[in-house]
Amino acid sequence: MDDQGGDSVSVWRVGGAARLAGYAIPAAVGVKALFGWAGWVSSPGAETARLAGLWSGLAVGVALFFWWAILRVRLAVGPDGIVAVNPWGTHHLALDEVASVRLDAWGAEFHHGDGFKTTAYALSELAAGTSQDRRFAELQAVLEAAPDSSSQ
């Protein structure tokens, strides 16, 4: 949990092994691309340039995928409300729109008063490969401490 800015904003991101993989796998593919280009510099040719270009394209694709699916995902709770950034979109909720919150396999589910729900993937079981009970307890404490959380 991090505090950012002048007002206190609590932020959760994907953690553990998934976050490490989000950095390590694209870095490993990027290093392979660099070695491919170093090989092309040492012995220029169409085949070495093709392989280096292929690894470069793969490195960009892998980096974009891991950024989109793991590194970009976050949950922020502050005085302005809740912001859940998921791979498929960003959801903004006012604190008074949340009737209840619970943890399931896909993340923290914010249930709205009108029956809809918003899931924050940053607290999913897949986030760290371990139980998210501690992080969910942190989220509940922040929501209970929020000034507009009379319905929690």
Side-chain angles (χ1 to χ4, degrees), residues 16-150:
R19 188 162 185 86
L20 179 63
Y23 287 114
I25 293 173
V29 178
V31 166
K32 177 65 176 166
L34 287 175
F35 280 133
W37 287 112
W40 176 76
V41 167
S42 66
S43 63
E47 181 62 22
T48 54
R50 186 188 70 77
L51 282 174
L54 180 71
W55 278 104
S56 296
L58 186 62
V60 169
V62 167
L64 286 174
F65 172 77
F66 276 95
W67 169 80
W68 176 74
I70 295 176
L71 301 176
R72 176 180 166 267
V73 174
R74 72 179 183 284
L75 170 64
V77 179
D80 296 334
I82 299 167
V83 178
V85 179
N86 293 327
W88 300 109
T90 300
H91 307 279
H92 299 272
L93 297 169
L95 291 172
D96 60 354
E97 289 180 46
V98 178
S100 66
V101 62
R102 73 179 187 92
L103 186 64
D104 77 348
W106 292 105
E109 282 186 349
F110 296 95
H111 294 264
H112 307 220
D114 59 5
F116 287 97
K117 67 181 178 181
T118 301
T119 303
Y121 290 15
L123 289 185
S124 73
E125 289 290 329
L126 302 174
T130 59
S131 174
Q132 298 301 303
D133 293 338
R134 180 187 57 80
R135 297 174 81 194
F136 185 67
E138 291 172 357
L139 170 63
Q140 286 182 314
V142 168
L143 287 174
E144 288 170 4
D148 296 331
S149 63
S150 58

